[in-house]
Amino acid sequence: SQHVEVRLSVGQCVRTLTTSKEKEEVTKTLHTLTSYLDDGPQSTITSAQRAEFSRAHYTRTLQFLISNINADWLQLLTVPQCTELWDGLFLRGPPDQTLLVLMDGISSMSSPSAGLDRLVSILERFLQSGRLTVLLWTRCQGTGPSDSPQLRETLLSRLVALPDLTANQLHHHNKTLFLPQQYYPLLARDMLTVLERTCQALRGLKDCSLTFVAQALGKACVQGHSALVFGVLAPHLSSCTLSDMVWQRVCWKLLENVPERWLESVPDALSRIMGNLVLKNKKAQFVITHKLLLLQYKYETRVLSILLGYLAQDRERRPLLIQVLRSLCQAWANPSAVRHTPLEQQLYVSRALLLCVGLLSDAELQELRSELLQCMLGGMQSHLDSSVVRVRRMGMVVGECLSSRMDVNGAKLKFEYEHDEETEELLSLMTPLSEEETEPLDDRLDLPQDIKGKTVPSQAVPSQAASVAQKSGADSELDSDDELTPYDMSADQEMSQAAPPRYLRDCLEAFLSSEDPVRVDLSLRAIEGLVRKNTSTAREVSVELSKVLLHMEDRYNTVGFLSLRQAAMVALTVTDSVPVTEYLTTEFYSMNYSIRQRLDILEVLILSAQELSQPITDKGGPSKAIQRVTMNTPLYPGDDPIHWRQVVERRIQSKTKRLSKGVTHPPAKPTPNRYAPVAGHFFFPLLRNYDRPQVTFDLLGGDHLVLGRLIHTLGLLMHLAVNAPVATQMGRALLDFVWAVRYHVDQMVRRGVLFAVCSIFLSMPSQSLLVELSDQLFETRAWLADVAEGDPDTDCRNLAVQSLVLLEKSLKTEMNPAALVLQS
């Protein structure tokens, strides 16, 4: 039979090439093998014989050639003969088998070598000569071999991952054509050629299958090359489907055949390209209406606009738009989602919600009014309860936009918030600009008046000046003094009839009893300087004055009231640290204080500690009075340096083995400052009553903002205490405190916890970390690893990574095997 004849002929050719040393015999044998690939009129090989050779012997023939790529008989051929006969066997046969053999040969060949260079050159010619088009087209026609699913998957993997496979083998000697920027556009162009042939075949009433092309497209996209592929495909498909129904059918069928697990990676599919795929394919519907909008958040606003516009363009698809809107409303208003999802995803959902609402018709808006109102009220409450400024601002902007779109009883919500690029983008999504619209942005967006005033064109000022000039010109004859030059009064200041106070007690009396706004204003502006100038008097009234300032309200709308009051309280705390900090830390947990007052206390403590932590120098040090008062103050228990070092030394000696280090990097040189002796007075009182809920204050309950700011404050106080004797005691207490709230639902609290842990690792000596926190380090390390991998907040993940790096650095410093000497 013909099968036997082909097998015998190929076997004879292989034996000849293995044993022959004659050039003519080798050339004749290669011609014989090549003849099985020629289908011209001069060929003596029947079509059945060619099919049998391609089916059963072609791959083995190529593998034999690669295994003998360095054989002596190959050296007998001239360069043209080698190109025509040896290379021709790779470039004329079934392209799928050729690609698999070439890729396997390149992967197994030693690098660098002449054989590898030859295979790479053949692969390059394979791609340049359009063999990928032949490969894809034979699969579309169904004329390819009926291979197994495993073989098909292997072929797809080699086809799509060709740049990665060649780069792994060739390294710096890789060809330009194999780079992703060159290869994937080439693959996309070959796909377009195959789609064009498919359209022609359909017009000729011939059936085609796009399954393999769709699988290759999906696999390329899921591996992250969708931008390169669709950069070529999308413009061509968009133009071809504009008026050609056959092209539209081909595109729809192409996307229908993309595997379900890869469909979500196909981006920016236009309505003409996708058709009603979302109605026919349940998986496609899930991906487009749910996964890309609620589970993914990596796409740009343009992609969101395209996806939602696709659902809104067709009457049959419009119910899915309503379904998407309901899902987005539920997600945006969900308090748990606001607390536990990344901020980027919340912003993504907000964009999608506003785009979706902007696509609703008036009738649909009336039908969904109650649901939108419920979403707006519940979502705003969830967002405004957050301690994250961006989340609260997001809730305000979306609430304003929904209120404006629904127009409930003609009333519109209006909030005061800082405008930035993020808020402006959200505001613009309700009424996206088009190319035909030339009206100013202020006429389209309901912006606050102060923002609109900033966007007035600069030409308006000269026009107003011109009108004034014209009016003054008309009346110039009546002005007899127009030649006199006016005085420049721009820098003049209004003279006050009252003189500023000269004594601190006058300021205190003004705050307590005066109803004169000018006197109160002058006292508030003078008090900081008087405190720093008259330290002895300041210490006499420091606590009383701090109490008055803490409870003071801005009754007369004083300019810069908050900053003036804060500066005065900081001056008092720096001047008389222990009594004032004792008062402030006590009042922090007292009843009947507002959240603002508690936050003010924390800010004053931070600013005071920062000022006190500045190093004392001979030239610019603090006054002698301040130094004397601070150093003569009784130290907080545990602040004595000698006592602290003795305690640590005793604990080290109590261990069964003592670790002594060799030469290490010298630590940072400590410098004296005023904060180290009083650090405990700032720090420890803030830890004493946090678990006792008051009538108006529940730190571990709903007051997440205060808890997060408190932990952040403790972290800063810890960080400023670096090299202080009490740093170890502070670090141990702080880690115990934050450990109880490390899994808090509020991301600001978790950020504060991680910042505090960073401060502990930065401020505590490496030796103290091992001695004092040895029982907790392993568990802390495991917790930080979990946070770095799974926390929904980006800042939390980054802080966890930083903490791990600091911990590893400290441990390496103390436990470097090369620098340790084990002593009994």
Side-chain angles (χ1 to χ4, degrees):
S1 66
Q2 293 182 347
H3 292 182
V4 176
E5 292 177 3
V6 173
R7 186 175 71 252
L8 292 175
S9 176
V10 172
Q12 181 61 41
C13 291
V14 169
R15 286 191 295 273
T16 300
L17 292 175
T18 304
T19 59
S20 178
K21 297 182 180 180
E22 299 293 332
K23 177 179 180 180
E24 292 77 9
E25 192 175 15
V26 171
T27 305
K28 181 180 178 181
T29 302
L30 291 176
H31 273 293
T32 301
L33 291 174
T34 306
S35 64
Y36 284 102
L37 302 176
D38 295 333
D39 56 355
Q42 306 296 330
S43 177
T44 59
I45 306 298
T46 64
S47 59
Q49 289 175 329
R50 287 195 300 271
E52 175 63 16
F53 177 78
S54 298
R55 183 191 68 82
H57 303 284
Y58 181 67
T59 295
R60 294 178 181 177
T61 300
L62 296 185
Q63 291 173 342
F64 169 77
L65 295 178
I66 291 178
S67 64
N68 289 270
I69 199 169
N70 296 317
D72 293 338
W73 58 265
L74 188 57
Q75 310 303 321
L76 301 175
L77 302 177
T78 63
V79 174
Q81 287 177 330
C82 195
T83 302
E84 178 187 0
L85 299 176
W86 205 89
D87 296 0
L89 282 169
F90 289 88
L91 300 176
R92 297 180 188 176
D96 49 355
Q97 298 183 53
T98 303
L99 181 65
L100 290 174
V101 173
L102 282 176
M103 296 307 298
D104 289 342
I106 290 175
S107 299
S108 60
M109 196 74 65
S110 59
S111 175
S113 64
L116 179 62
D117 293 343
R118 187 165 197 83
L119 292 184
V120 169
S121 176
I122 294 175
L123 179 59
E124 193 173 22
R125 290 178 58 192
F126 179 88
L127 298 178
Q128 292 171 340
S129 59
R131 299 303 290 171
L132 283 185
T133 302
V134 179
L135 189 157
L136 296 173
W137 178 237
T138 55
R139 295 281 170 166
C140 289
Q141 289 179 302
T143 57
S146 56
D147 48 23
S148 63
Q150 292 80 6
L151 182 59
R152 175 183 287 254
E153 183 65 27
T154 302
L155 179 60
L156 282 171
S157 299
R158 299 291 191 277
L159 177 66
V160 175
L162 186 145
D164 297 329
L165 297 173
T166 55
N168 290 338
Q169 183 67 9
L170 302 178
H171 303 292
H172 298 295
H173 304 288
N174 202 5
K175 296 288 185 179
T176 304
L177 185 60
F178 302 157
L179 299 179
Q181 295 80 2
Q182 298 285 339
Y183 176 75
Y184 291 107
L186 170 67
L187 178 62
R189 288 191 292 270
D190 290 335
M191 288 181 178
L192 285 175
T193 303
V194 171
L195 294 178
E196 177 64 36
R197 292 184 183 179
T198 303
C199 292
Q200 295 175 0
L202 292 177
R203 293 188 182 98
L205 303 180
K206 296 180 181 179
D207 291 336
C208 294
S209 172
L210 291 174
T211 302
F212 187 82
V213 179
Q215 290 175 341
L217 173 63
K219 198 172 187 66
C221 291
V222 81
Q223 291 185 4
H225 309 295
S226 58
L228 294 172
V229 174
F230 273 91
V232 176
L233 286 181
H236 192 82
L237 295 181
S238 180
S239 61
C240 291
T241 55
L242 189 61
S243 58
D244 193 330
M245 288 301 300
V246 178
W247 263 104
Q248 290 185 12
R249 287 183 54 204
V250 168
C251 291
W252 299 347
K253 198 66 177 177
L254 174 68
L255 294 179
E256 285 180 13
N257 286 322
V258 173
E260 293 180 353
R261 66 184 184 278
W262 298 338
L263 184 63
E264 64 185 273
S265 299
V266 179
D268 307 2
L270 303 177
S271 179
R272 293 193 308 273
I273 299 177
M274 295 187 65
N276 281 333
L277 171 67
V278 73
L279 299 176
K280 300 176 183 179
N281 189 315
K282 290 297 183 183
K283 180 63 176 180
Q285 182 181 123
F286 171 76
V287 169
I288 293 175
T289 63
H290 184 80
K291 196 164 189 177
L292 296 182
L293 298 175
L294 297 176
L295 302 182
Q296 301 279 3
Y297 53 95
K298 61 182 180 181
Y299 297 107
E300 300 176 357
T301 305
R302 177 178 58 90
V303 179
L304 279 176
S305 179
I306 291 174
L307 288 174
L308 296 172
Y310 163 72
L311 297 178
Q313 282 179 355
D314 187 82
R315 183 175 58 185
E316 296 181 3
R317 299 193 295 266
R318 202 151 182 98
L320 293 178
L321 181 69
I322 306 301
Q323 173 186 328
V324 165
L325 177 62
R326 291 192 171 101
S327 300
L328 290 171
C329 286
Q330 184 178 3
W332 189 78
N334 190 342
S336 179
V338 174
R339 289 195 301 266
H340 295 101
T341 56
L343 196 146
E344 294 80 6
Q345 186 172 4
Q346 297 181 43
L347 183 61
Y348 185 83
V349 171
S350 299
R351 291 193 188 109
L353 176 61
L354 294 182
L355 284 171
C356 201
V357 172
L359 292 170
L360 293 180
S361 63
D362 293 338
E364 292 168 336
L365 197 62
Q366 291 295 331
E367 179 183 353
L368 298 169
R369 180 181 293 270
S370 60
E371 297 180 45
L372 287 175
L373 183 60
Q374 183 178 0
C375 164
M376 180 183 73
L377 297 178
M380 285 174 52
Q381 182 65 37
S382 302
H383 284 75
L384 293 178
D385 284 344
S386 174
S387 58
V388 183
V389 176
R390 288 179 63 188
V391 174
R392 293 200 300 272
R393 192 184 306 157
M394 194 186 309
M396 296 177 192
V397 175
V398 176
E400 283 186 1
C401 293
L402 294 180
S403 171
S404 174
R405 186 74 173 89
M406 290 187 296
D407 193 21
V408 181
N409 299 325
K412 298 180 182 179
L413 292 176
K414 185 63 62 178
F415 295 97
E416 293 184 2
Y417 50 84
E418 181 181 353
H419 286 255
D420 55 11
E421 294 182 3
E422 187 175 291
T423 59
E424 295 299 334
E425 181 196 9
L426 291 174
L427 288 169
S428 67
L429 294 180
M430 291 294 292
T431 52
L433 294 172
S434 62
E435 295 180 359
E436 293 81 7
E437 292 173 313
T438 58
E439 56 191 301
L441 185 63
D442 291 340
D443 295 336
R444 302 177 49 78
L445 303 180
D446 189 13
L447 298 178
Q449 293 297 323
D450 57 343
I451 299 300
K452 290 185 178 181
K454 297 178 182 178
T455 58
V456 173
S458 59
Q459 289 81 359
V461 177
S463 63
Q464 295 174 4
S467 63
V468 173
Q470 292 175 0
K471 183 177 179 180
S472 62
D475 300 334
S476 61
E477 296 180 356
L478 302 178
D479 188 1
S480 59
D481 297 329
D482 55 353
E483 295 181 357
L484 297 178
T485 303
Y487 287 105
D488 183 9
M489 303 177 63
S490 60
D492 289 1
Q493 297 180 356
E494 182 180 356
M495 296 183 62
S496 174
Q497 297 180 353
R502 299 172 58 187
Y503 302 102
L504 277 176
R505 295 193 182 276
D506 293 339
C507 295
L508 180 60
E509 182 181 354
F511 295 152
L512 291 175
S513 59
S514 177
E515 298 293 335
D516 183 5
V518 176
R519 183 182 175 190
V520 173
D521 180 88
L522 291 174
S523 300
L524 192 59
R525 295 184 185 281
I527 186 171
E528 180 190 5
L530 293 175
V531 169
R532 296 184 182 276
K533 185 178 180 180
N534 305 291
T535 55
S536 58
T537 305
R539 289 194 300 274
E540 295 176 4
V541 295
S542 59
V543 175
E544 185 179 3
L545 198 50
S546 298
K547 180 178 181 180
V548 172
L549 289 170
L550 180 62
H551 292 82
M552 181 182 291
E553 297 180 356
D554 188 12
R555 296 182 296 169
Y556 307 114
N557 294 324
T558 304
V559 178
F561 171 81
L562 294 177
S563 59
L564 292 173
R565 186 187 64 154
Q566 184 181 82
M569 295 179 69
V570 169
L572 288 167
T573 308
V574 170
T575 303
D576 200 14
S577 300
V578 175
V580 176
T581 53
E582 182 180 357
Y583 167 75
L584 292 177
T585 53
T586 302
E587 295 304 298
F588 179 77
Y589 287 108
S590 298
M591 296 174 57
N592 301 323
Y593 277 93
S594 66
I595 290 179
R596 179 66 264 172
Q597 288 174 306
R598 300 183 199 277
L599 296 181
D600 288 341
I601 291 175
L602 296 179
E603 291 176 4
V604 169
L605 292 175
I606 290 176
L607 294 174
S608 303
Q610 288 177 336
E611 182 176 340
L612 289 171
S613 65
Q614 297 301 313
I616 299 175
T617 60
D618 295 336
K619 295 182 180 181
S623 64
K624 296 181 179 180
I626 295 180
Q627 292 187 48
R628 185 176 61 254
V629 172
T630 305
M631 298 307 295
N632 291 337
T633 304
L635 296 176
Y636 196 87
D639 278 355
D640 180 37
I642 299 177
H643 170 72
W644 176 81
R645 293 185 183 278
Q646 292 175 349
V647 171
V648 173
E649 188 65 25
R650 285 197 299 269
R651 289 179 180 174
I652 294 176
Q653 292 176 356
S654 66
K655 303 295 181 181
T656 56
K657 293 183 183 293
R658 185 172 184 269
L659 298 177
S660 61
K661 296 184 296 181
V663 179
T664 59
H665 295 289
K669 182 179 180 180
T671 55
N673 61 63
R674 294 179 289 161
Y675 174 66
V678 296
H681 294 279
F682 282 79
F683 183 85
F684 291 105
L686 291 176
L687 295 176
R688 55 188 174 198
N689 292 321
Y690 67 90
D691 56 347
R692 300 179 184 177
Q694 306 294 338
V695 177
T696 58
F697 180 53
D698 187 4
L699 198 60
L700 298 183
D703 292 316
H704 299 166
L705 177 61
V706 184
L707 177 60
R709 194 69 63 85
L710 170 63
I711 297 176
H712 191 80
T713 301
L714 292 170
L716 282 173
L717 295 176
M718 178 74 214
H719 178 63
L720 295 174
V722 61
N723 295 321
V726 77
T728 299
Q729 186 179 352
M730 292 172 62
R732 186 173 61 250
L734 181 57
L735 186 60
D736 291 339
F737 170 62
V738 300
W739 194 252
V741 292
R742 66 189 186 280
Y743 292 117
H744 202 280
V745 295
D746 191 279
Q747 57 188 345
M748 289 300 294
V749 176
R750 298 199 305 275
R751 288 181 193 176
V753 170
L754 291 163
F755 174 76
V757 172
C758 279
S759 300
I760 293 172
F761 294 156
L762 277 172
S763 304
M764 285 187 65
S766 302
Q767 194 175 31
S768 298
L769 278 176
L770 285 176
V771 175
E772 300 294 335
L773 304 179
S774 58
D775 297 336
Q776 299 169 278
L777 285 183
F778 181 78
E779 193 173 359
T780 303
R781 186 176 180 181
W783 161 67
L784 289 172
D786 291 340
V787 174
E789 182 178 355
D791 196 285
D793 184 64
T794 304
D795 290 338
C796 289
R797 295 195 298 270
N798 294 336
L799 285 170
V801 172
Q802 293 177 15
S803 299
L804 283 172
V805 172
L806 292 173
L807 179 58
E808 294 294 334
K809 184 177 180 181
S810 297
L811 294 180
K812 286 182 179 179
T813 302
E814 289 299 316
M815 304 184 66
N816 186 3
L820 290 181
V821 177
L822 189 62
Q823 298 179 352
S824 300

